[in-house]
Amino acid sequence: MTSQVSSPSEQADEAVVGEQRKPAGTKDVRRLDRVIIRFAGDSGDGMQLTGDRFTSETASFGNDLSTLPNFPAEIRAPAGTLPGVSSFQLHFADHDILTPGDAPNVLVAMNPAALKANLGDVPRGAEIIVNTDEFTKRAMQKVGYATSPLEDGSLDGYSLHPVPLTTLTVEALKEFDLTRKEAERSKNMFALGLLSWMYHRPTEGTEKFLKSKFAKKPDIAAANITAFRAGWNFGETTEDFAVSYEIAPATTAFPVGTYRNISGNLALSYGLIAASRQADLPLYLGSYPITPASDILHELSRHKNFGVRTFQAEDEIAGIGAALGAAFGGSLAVTTTSGPGVALKSETIGLAVSLELPLLVIDIQRGGPSTGLPTKTEQADLLQAMFGRNGEAPIPVIAPCTPADCFDTALEAARIALTYRTPVMLLSDGYLANGSEPWRIPEPDELPDLTVQFAQGPNHTLADGSEVFWPYKRDPQTLARPWAIPGTPGLEHRIGGIEKEDGTGNISYAPANHDFMVRTRQAKIDGIEVPDLEVDDLHEAKTLVLGWGSTYGPITAAVRRLRTAGESIAQAHLRHLNPFPRNLGAVLGRYEKVVIPEMNLGQLATLIRAKYLVDAHSYNQVNGMPFKAEQLAKALKEAIDA
């Protein structure tokens, strides 16, 4: 995962001078160990594309990285307004990092709204690059600026770089037969070129991407590449940028292997494909588009060559109904959604519990209730996943902890579903889904064997000696029932949502049978084999911080800060939320204090208190954004000292 730094024009030879590298006769180059950049602009300014391209080049260069895309909730908010601001934050370093960073070192603000919406996160002394062309009187008044922040002294504490990005872009593209409005659309590429120069990012990948993206419009491709190169050259020649920065590859942060940059939703998609191949089953996705889960549907639809079938249903209920039918037919069946969709799918999930068929229900959590905050992150669906069905309808619940971990968690969800014949809920969230990090591509022999044995014939002998097929005769180890493919001679059996008789699967209203079946289904879930919880405890600490899901990065970063400051604190992180690891009770009993940070109002803490009678301290946030490491470090320090 290495690449030589290059520019549109060959750089001069460079020499190492102390802590700085100085290109012959030009500008200083300062070494940094990490940097946090935030691109911000109107939702039509292409900030997500700009951030994605900068991220891709950073990954190819070999830095460790973590990203935080932040989208407007409105489909198309009015241009230049605060609700319409879109941003993309990237943290990259020459060492192992865990979060997108607490505060940007560099803010690129494409208009007044972007500046106002993000300035509160920017520390004094940071660099701010603003597109001065957009700071018109009307645009500033639209967001509440009575005077220009570029002139009234309010930005004196920052390193301000006023750049007429729009004018420079239009000037660079005057040779092309484009209207001014068409030329202005390339200003994000000018900004990308400038930042690529500032931080010595490779450029070949971006130029190749632009040629591919606009392959059918070569003039547009050429214009974007020209704007990109103009931004690079502007940085190299202007006096306003006297210094560029170098962040070396993170050569010691990664085990040996082949890496690529990956988002959580893409990792989930690849994990599902890998699971279907390892199980030797066709993959079927029945889904309905919903933010932030739709990218899984989009991605899987591209992989028909792997036997993947995707069905975009008319609604959430139809999506899971089709998926459950595919499970009955012998496919590795998946349905994807977010919190509102889980509510709609709940009856069919209960049917899958009753039918005892493998089904993966992937919930990419977002802010609620109801429609809530469609583009913001939250992890408030845990209790819905645990109990959000009528009757006693237990299902396993698991959660990935990083974007790359979504791949492994998809495989684990498939293992549980196929082995125990049960629906499984996988709880990701918007932060993991849209965020990205380097991912080591596993070797095929590292993937688990998920092969399944379908029922082939009779499995029970009656008192008269005749052999029959009992669809609910269970494996004594897993309590899983046999999986019979429809149309297999002799394996015909009744299906439906009414309670089944033990063994035969016939309809039964007998009280004792219902009691037995309810307890058996619960025992099957309770008996699922999951790994013991691993605890990171270096010095026999008295305080344990326990997390689940996407809080892993901020918690681990906070724990590192506290340990660096001399504090003793232990950390553990749950992937399996139902059933809990068997050693969890013993782990909790070893500590005087247990702190549980969650992006909800204390849902895991409620479960822990109820099951283990532990007086867990809950630390909560529900503002649609992930925790910041410094914020958590402060809260954990207060818990240690209390």
Side-chain angles (χ1 to χ4, degrees), residues 364-603:
I364 313 298
Q365 301 166 95
R366 70 190 205 188
S370 187
T371 306
L373 305 174
T375 61
K376 309 301 180 183
T377 195
E378 203 165 272
Q379 49 176 182
D381 294 350
L382 176 55
L383 294 184
Q384 179 178 226
M386 292 286 289
F387 307 119
R389 293 163 296 283
N390 63 294
E392 295 286 346
I395 63 173
V397 181
I398 65 174
C401 62
T402 69
D405 185 52
C406 290
F407 177 88
D408 295 322
T409 307
L411 286 163
E412 174 66 357
R415 177 192 73 85
I416 294 172
L418 295 172
T419 302
Y420 297 90
R421 309 288 196 268
T422 177
V424 176
M425 184 81 77
L426 188 155
L427 294 178
S428 180
D429 60 39
Y431 173 37
L432 296 183
N434 297 317
S436 61
E437 66 177 353
W439 170 58
R440 187 182 71 83
I441 302 173
E443 297 297 329
D445 59 6
E446 296 174 339
L447 302 179
D449 182 4
L450 301 177
T451 51
V452 175
Q453 294 297 322
F454 292 111
Q456 299 297 324
N459 61 357
H460 184 75
T461 303
L462 298 176
D464 63 4
S466 59
E467 294 186 339
V468 296
F469 175 68
W470 273 15
Y472 283 84
K473 184 168 185 175
R474 300 178 184 280
D475 182 290
Q477 298 298 319
T478 65
L479 299 182
R481 79 174 185 94
W483 194 0
I485 300 299
T488 306
L491 303 190
E492 300 85 357
H493 61 281
R494 188 186 304 272
I495 63 171
I498 298 177
E499 185 62 282
K500 290 131 185 76
E501 183 180 59
D502 176 42
T504 68
N506 294 331
I507 291 175
S508 173
Y509 297 101
N513 179 77
H514 178 59
D515 184 274
F516 178 81
M517 293 295 282
V518 167
R519 294 180 186 276
T520 300
R521 287 188 290 260
Q522 183 66 58
K524 181 174 70 170
I525 303 305
D526 292 341
I528 291 173
E529 289 291 333
V530 302
D532 279 348
L533 180 66
E534 296 182 1
V535 183
D536 177 11
D537 188 353
L538 302 178
H539 301 104
E540 297 185 0
K542 296 181 179 180
T543 300
L544 171 71
V545 54
L546 179 68
W548 70 277
S550 66
T551 57
Y552 172 78
I555 289 175
T556 306
V559 167
R560 287 181 180 179
R561 293 188 185 199
L562 289 173
R563 288 175 176 172
T564 300
E567 300 291 340
S568 180
I569 188 169
Q571 177 187 0
H573 209 79
L574 289 167
R575 167 181 280 180
H576 297 87
L577 298 155
N578 192 35
F580 286 129
R582 285 172 173 73
N583 69 332
L584 177 55
V587 167
L588 295 171
R590 297 205 301 261
Y591 296 92
E592 295 179 6
K593 301 174 185 176
V594 177
V595 184
I596 304 179
E598 300 180 76
M599 291 189 293
N600 57 48
L601 293 183
Q603 297 189 17

Side-chain angles (χ1 to χ4, degrees), residues 157-180:
Y158 305 93
S159 178
L160 180 64
H161 300 282
V163 180
L165 288 172
T166 306
T167 299
L168 291 171
T169 302
V170 172
E171 178 65 20
L173 301 184
K174 62 183 181 181
E175 64 185 81
F176 293 89
D177 186 20
L178 300 173
T179 66
R180 180 179 177 85

Side-chain angles (χ1 to χ4, degrees), residues 596 602 604-618:
I596 304 179
L604 175 61
T606 297
L607 297 174
I608 293 295
R609 292 188 189 109
K611 185 174 180 65
Y612 299 104
L613 303 181
V614 170
D615 186 19
H617 173 69
S618 191

Side-chain angles (χ1 to χ4, degrees), residues 285-332:
L285 173 66
S287 186
Y288 179 75
I290 184 172
T291 301
S294 299
D295 285 342
I296 302 173
L297 171 62
H298 301 159
E299 182 61 33
L300 289 180
S301 68
R302 300 185 178 106
H303 296 285
K304 297 179 179 66
N305 56 313
F306 287 114
V308 179
R309 293 183 180 180
T310 54
F311 169 55
Q312 180 175 319
E314 64 269 30
D315 56 38
E316 295 280 4
I317 298 171
I320 190 173
L324 185 57
F328 179 65
S331 293
L332 176 59

Side-chain angles (χ1 to χ4, degrees), residues 238-282:
T238 183
E239 295 182 1
D240 192 34
F241 294 91
V243 177
S244 64
Y245 303 93
E246 182 181 82
I247 296 90
T251 54
T252 61
F254 306 114
V256 175
T258 302
Y259 287 80
R260 60 155 294 163
N261 183 53
I262 201 165
S263 68
N265 275 351
L266 185 58
L268 267 174
S269 302
Y270 288 175
L272 294 172
I273 295 171
S276 75
R277 303 292 283 187
Q278 293 302 107
D280 195 22
L281 297 175

